[in-house]
Amino acid sequence: MRPPSTRVTIVAVADAAGVSVPTVSKVLNGRSDVSADTRERVEEVIRRLGYQRRPRKHASASPVIDLVFSQIESLWAVELIRGVQDEAQRRGAGVVISECGGQRHPRQEWLESVLERKPLGVVLVFSDLTGEQRAQLESRSIPHVVVDPAGDPHGSTPSIGSSHFVGGRLATQHLIELGHRRIAAISGRMDTIAGRSRLAAFRDAMTEAGIGVDEELVRHGAFTTASGLEHGTALLSLPSPPTAIVAGSDLQAIGVYQAAAQTGVRIPRDLSVVGYDGLESTKWLTPQLTTVRQPLRQMGEIATAMVLRAARGETSDAPGVELAVSFVERESTAPPSH
């Protein structure tokens, strides 16, 4: 067994993999001129021996942060981008933005470009790394932070999010206090923490109020306008439609607005709607959308500060950070008319 205090060298990796030191260096740097079999063999040895490149000083690293989204499709992403860019600029770093095409994990081509670019760190939004991808970044001393994790983050991975459960309760309790009892909920993807937590909060608030949950009024969707339109139309077409809908996101709520317009339902006279995210654009809807605001820009700023501290070799006492949400009451909710 290798003594714990002994650092694994690139020479040891080359010997164990049966390749030259330059070949190991090419693999570590994400070079493409290495065969797939050789690359896989070297990566396996790197993981098995626990090789880790020495942390680099900022001067020798590319002064950029890689910002990776599952999908960029709304002002929700724009607010996070602004937060990351603001903090990175204050600290003299640039930002490279990538998208996973709606997938939870980045493609391998993205990882290879990151290894070649050698950024200060990586910030992932609503996405995550596979175990192999995480090991490849760690072996190169490229730290990463997850914003609004899609699933439960790895124990060693710093993360930043907001209080989804609290926000879901605030939205539902507001409608209950207005007098609504036939309340519907459209969730986000159930393979995400946000989707599961907000729906669980809806159920909890309804049960606590002694109302109970009508499963006919619970729909599982995605955080998109199309999902809000689809499920909103289905809910409003029921023989006994809901008098209020808790949407999983502001985009979903916009889709519900469209469904209401197409079915002749008036908001808030016939239907109350609550969104989630607090996007600035929702102030321009008619009527203005009641919503739960996430501190999206602040989440981006904190994630950037976390990854830059890790790049300097600093450890965090609180690897998981959860920020408070706030409730914004506007014009899309009112007591039920019947």
Side-chain angles (χ1 to χ4, degrees):
M1 294 289 289
R2 174 176 52 84
S5 59
T6 303
R7 177 180 289 275
V8 177
T9 65
I10 192 172
V11 175
V13 172
D15 288 344
V19 298
S20 66
V21 169
T23 297
V24 176
S25 179
K26 289 179 180 180
V27 172
L28 288 171
N29 292 323
R31 292 271 297 275
S32 60
D33 51 342
V34 180
S35 71
D37 289 343
T38 299
R39 183 184 303 278
E40 184 176 347
R41 185 165 73 252
V42 172
E43 291 288 0
E44 190 280 326
V45 171
I46 288 172
R47 290 193 296 272
R48 177 162 51 84
L49 296 185
Y51 171 84
Q52 190 167 24
R53 178 178 277 167
R54 292 181 182 276
R56 299 157 292 149
K57 303 295 183 182
H58 280 210
S60 62
S62 300
V64 297
I65 294 169
D66 263 78
L67 175 57
V68 188
F69 285 87
S70 171
Q71 197 165 15
I72 302 175
E73 60 178 0
S74 74
L75 291 176
W76 179 88
V78 172
E79 285 298 302
L80 281 164
I81 291 171
R82 286 172 176 166
V84 172
Q85 287 184 325
D86 288 348
E87 185 65 19
Q89 187 175 34
R90 282 193 289 270
R91 296 171 180 261
V95 180
V96 175
I97 301 174
S98 305
E99 185 187 47
C100 302
Q103 301 300 311
R104 178 172 172 177
H105 303 295
R107 300 182 181 89
Q108 190 62 26
E109 307 91 84
W110 166 84
L111 182 63
E112 291 172 2
S113 70
V114 168
L115 298 183
E116 186 174 4
R117 190 159 51 245
K118 305 184 194 70
L120 295 172
V122 175
V123 175
L124 297 115
V125 181
F126 219 59
S127 58
D128 203 356
L129 301 174
T130 65
E132 182 177 351
Q133 289 172 334
R134 186 168 54 249
Q136 286 179 277
L137 287 187
E138 289 173 352
S139 68
R140 277 76 167 180
S141 293
I142 300 175
H144 69 282
V145 172
V146 181
V147 178
D148 217 352
D152 296 324
H154 187 263
S156 63
T157 302
S159 65
I160 173 76
S162 66
S163 306
H164 298 296
F165 191 85
V166 172
R169 279 186 62 90
L170 288 173
T172 309
Q173 287 172 338
H174 170 69
L175 295 171
I176 293 172
E177 290 168 1
L178 286 174
H180 292 276
R181 294 297 178 266
R182 191 158 177 77
I183 305 173
I186 306 175
S187 77
R189 285 168 33 194
M190 295 306 290
D191 63 345
T192 66
I193 293 176
R196 294 195 302 271
S197 297
R198 295 174 194 176
L199 183 58
F202 165 80
R203 293 182 180 279
D204 184 75
M206 294 286 282
T207 301
E208 185 180 275
I211 301 172
V213 177
D214 183 344
E215 294 301 328
E216 186 179 39
L217 300 183
V218 177
R219 303 295 166 120
H220 301 292
F223 294 128
T224 63
T225 302
S227 180
L229 174 59
E230 174 191 353
H231 294 290
T233 300
L235 288 167
L236 295 177
S237 300
L238 292 172
S240 180
T243 62
I245 295 177
V246 178
S249 70
D250 286 348
L251 291 181
Q252 267 190 4
I254 292 172
V256 172
Y257 269 50
Q258 293 177 342
Q262 292 175 8
T263 54
V265 172
R266 295 161 295 182
I267 299 173
R269 179 172 175 176
D270 305 321
L271 177 72
S272 287
V273 181
V274 180
Y276 201 110
D277 286 328
L279 302 180
E280 284 298 306
S281 59
T282 57
K283 293 191 302 186
W284 306 108
L285 292 174
T286 302
Q288 292 185 356
L289 179 66
T290 294
T291 185
V292 176
R293 177 178 289 139
Q294 292 195 85
L296 296 171
R297 188 175 297 201
Q298 186 182 5
M299 288 162 62
E301 292 174 348
I302 292 175
T304 304
M306 290 171 72
V307 82
L308 289 176
R309 283 197 298 270
R312 294 194 298 268
E314 300 176 16
T315 57
S316 174
D317 295 331
V321 178
E322 184 175 275
L323 300 182
V325 297
S326 58
F327 189 74
V328 182
E329 184 176 357
R330 297 198 184 111
E331 302 169 348
S332 65
T333 53
S337 59
H338 56 278

